Amino acid sequence: MFQRHSHPLLHKFAILGCAALLLSGSAMADGQLRSLPDPLQDLTSSTGQQTAVLAGGCFWGIDAVFKHVKGVTSTTSGYAGGQANSASYYQVSRGTTGHAEAVRVVFDPKQISYGQLLKIYFSVAHNPTELNYQGPDHGTQYRSAIFYSNDAQRQVAQAYIKQLQSMKLYPAPIVTQVAALAAFYPAEDYHQNYLALHPDQPYIVANDLPKLEHLRQEFPGVYQ
């Protein structure tokens, strides 16, 4: 299988086939789609918009999934975990900056909760059992990570991971990092809304379009 190229002007490619498709969702870790439980601990609704920052492999797929979730008002692909002077695709792709490819999700908590976003994140957006890689993409920049902006988010994220682990829903341990968000740096313009602009690219077809189909099947009430 082709891996993602590190040069910022080159595209990612993947061989089409069952092996690539089975890497598409977190509940597909052993080839079986699962329905995950609601978080036992969640944040109560509040006024105004809130933000979640999530990482799990290439930001193209994470961005595309949450763009199709009702209650999400905007998504931005970018970098989190490193310093401002290394927040560029060329540098991050080297895997030495501390950054992860991440997506900033702005949402209306009256329509969807932070915990429900995490349920989607663990169900269809990525595979939380893959350490420092995701499908064909390898390196710490593709790690599974939740970047929390306050202690309430941290508590919900840690509690949900503990809940899922205790239920033994995956064939391997969840390796998702829960880390404080120091800053989020938007990625270059050509990375924004990538799936919608390149729906026929082989990497997108193999790795990201199946995530949208899983979202539609598993979460019909919030799919848009």
Side-chain angles (χ1 to χ4, degrees), residues 91-111:
Q91 292 172 288
V92 172
S93 295
R94 296 175 178 175
T96 59
T97 64
H99 280 296
E101 290 196 8
V103 174
R104 181 174 60 198
V105 181
V106 180
F107 64 100
D108 181 352
K110 292 184 177 180
Q111 296 187 57

Side-chain angles (χ1 to χ4, degrees), residues 5 23 28 34 43 48 62 70 73 79 85 88 106-107 109 120 125 161 164-165 171-172 195 201 206:
H5 295 282
L23 293 167
M28 297 291 287
R34 298 178 181 81
L43 300 181
I62 300 288
K70 292 179 182 178
T73 57
Y79 313 107
N85 61 3
S88 71
V106 180
F107 64 100
I120 292 170
I161 291 173
L164 295 178
Q165 289 278 51
L195 182 145
Q201 189 192 97

Side-chain angles (χ1 to χ4, degrees), residues 1-196:
M1 181 179 294
F2 292 106
Q3 294 185 13
R4 181 184 186 189
H5 295 282
S6 61
H7 192 281
L9 299 181
L10 295 177
H11 294 307
K12 307 167 190 170
F13 294 96
I15 295 175
L16 302 181
C18 294
L21 296 176
L22 290 179
L23 293 167
S24 301
S26 68
M28 297 291 287
D30 58 356
Q32 296 181 2
L33 185 64
R34 298 178 181 81
S35 295
L36 299 185
D38 290 332
L40 294 175
Q41 181 176 336
D42 203 349
L43 300 181
T44 57
S45 298
S46 61
T47 58
Q49 295 185 329
Q50 296 184 9
T51 300
V53 176
L54 306 170
C58 173
F59 41 28
W60 297 345
I62 300 288
D63 173 79
V65 166
F66 286 103
K67 267 185 167 60
H68 285 271
V69 174
K70 292 179 182 178
V72 171
T73 57
S74 70
T75 60
T76 304
S77 294
Y79 313 107
Q83 303 299 314
N85 61 3
S86 61
S88 71
Y89 184 63
Y90 181 79
Q91 292 172 288
V92 172
S93 295
R94 296 175 178 175
T96 59
T97 64
H99 280 296
E101 290 196 8
V103 174
R104 181 174 60 198
V105 181
V106 180
F107 64 100
D108 181 352
K110 292 184 177 180
Q111 296 187 57
I112 190 164
S113 70
Y114 182 71
Q116 288 298 312
L117 291 178
L118 293 186
K119 181 180 178 180
I120 292 170
Y121 169 74
F122 282 110
S123 296
V124 301
H126 84 307
N127 184 338
T129 70
E130 294 179 338
L131 181 62
N132 294 331
Y133 77 100
Q134 198 68 204
D137 301 319
H138 289 245
T140 57
Q141 68 271 32
Y142 301 114
R143 66 187 181 272
S144 173
I146 298 169
F147 294 95
Y148 61 87
S149 58
N150 53 57
D151 193 58
Q153 287 189 353
R154 177 188 64 79
Q155 291 181 27
V156 170
Q158 290 178 338
Y160 195 43
I161 291 173
K162 183 177 180 181
Q163 177 185 345
L164 295 178
Q165 289 278 51
S166 67
M167 298 179 69
K168 301 185 185 303
L169 296 173
Y170 300 94
I174 293 173
V175 296
T176 304
Q177 175 188 31
V178 179
L181 177 67
F184 177 85
Y185 305 97
E188 295 81 354
D189 288 345
Y190 62 86
H191 285 302
Q192 306 302 331
N193 200 27
Y194 196 90
L195 182 145

